[in-house]
Amino acid sequence: MVYGKIIKDLVIDGLPANYGVVNEKDARAAAGLMLVIGIVTFVITMFMKNYTVLAVTVSVFFLEFLIRVIDPHYAPFFMIGSWIVKKQRPEYSGAIQKRFAWALGLLMAVSMIIISIVLNLRGALPFSICSVCLSLLWLETSFGICVGCKMYFGLMKVGVIKQPEVMPACPGGVCSIDKVKK
């Protein structure tokens, strides 16, 4: 079973892309939607001390990332983001490293559920996790930088993650197969 979409005769950076891909523009639009919701939640939680909004947002983000790790095309924010950018030319990248990045988002959401909902902790720890999540969403949305994708590539380079026969294209071409072989 392949994660992402296989698009017949797709070429990325001059190489055949015979692996699962996702549209980066869809991912960026979804990240932008989540960023706005996250900032609003952060402000409400910090200044109004309304932790109910935080619990709802963390739960929604958990479901979004969980669905994305399974199949991003069914995740609500991803679907809305896809609809928003549907008239734009797609920009494909490998799906597997995006899955890794979304798994990191899922890990942060699970951590927030445990810390802020189950343990009812307030203060520096949940604030830090929220800040990291918002920063990653901002980098993805504003600059097209997928930190999780870069981490995936780095872990592959040092041998923690097995390198595939064909290196999937990273967003913006930042980790082509040529860079792996050098």
Side-chain angles (χ1 to χ4, degrees):
M1 190 161 149
V2 175
Y3 183 76
K5 286 184 180 178
I6 299 285
I7 299 174
K8 187 178 180 199
D9 300 324
L10 179 65
V11 175
I12 302 174
D13 297 331
L15 298 170
N18 55 354
Y19 45 81
V21 296
V22 294
N23 183 354
E24 274 300 305
K25 292 184 180 179
D26 296 349
R28 288 182 201 144
L33 294 170
M34 293 177 76
L35 177 63
V36 169
I37 291 167
I39 289 171
V40 169
T41 299
F42 190 86
V43 168
I44 290 170
T45 303
M46 287 296 292
F47 297 109
M48 301 174 84
K49 305 298 182 199
N50 183 338
Y51 295 98
T52 304
V53 174
L54 177 66
V56 170
T57 300
V58 167
S59 300
V60 168
F61 280 22
F62 166 78
L63 288 172
E64 175 74 15
F65 283 124
L66 179 63
I67 295 168
R68 281 195 204 183
V69 167
I70 296 166
D71 186 342
H73 301 96
Y74 295 105
F77 289 116
F78 197 88
M79 288 173 29
I80 295 167
S82 297
W83 179 77
I84 291 169
V85 299
K86 70 181 175 187
K87 296 207 184 240
Q88 296 180 17
R89 181 177 51 244
E91 179 185 329
Y92 294 108
S93 67
I96 194 68
Q97 62 267 39
K98 296 301 281 190
R99 182 185 220 179
F100 179 83
W102 294 329
L104 293 176
L106 180 61
L107 180 64
M108 283 187 272
V110 167
S111 299
M112 283 299 293
I113 287 171
I114 293 168
I115 291 165
S116 67
I117 298 173
V118 175
L119 299 176
N120 203 30
L121 295 177
R122 308 290 183 242
L125 185 58
F127 174 81
S128 298
I129 295 169
C130 283
S131 296
V132 168
C133 184
L134 291 175
S135 297
L136 296 176
L137 288 169
W138 177 73
L139 286 169
E140 175 81 23
T141 300
S142 299
F143 302 108
I145 297 172
C146 175
V147 174
C149 297
K150 288 182 176 280
M151 289 173 65
Y152 179 86
F153 178 70
L155 291 170
M156 188 186 316
K157 200 171 179 180
V158 297
V160 174
I161 295 174
K162 184 182 174 204
Q163 183 174 329
E165 289 180 31
V166 177
M167 177 65 181
C170 284
V174 296
C175 59
S176 69
I177 191 145
D178 297 329
K179 291 182 183 176
V180 173
K181 290 187 175 181
K182 288 182 180 176

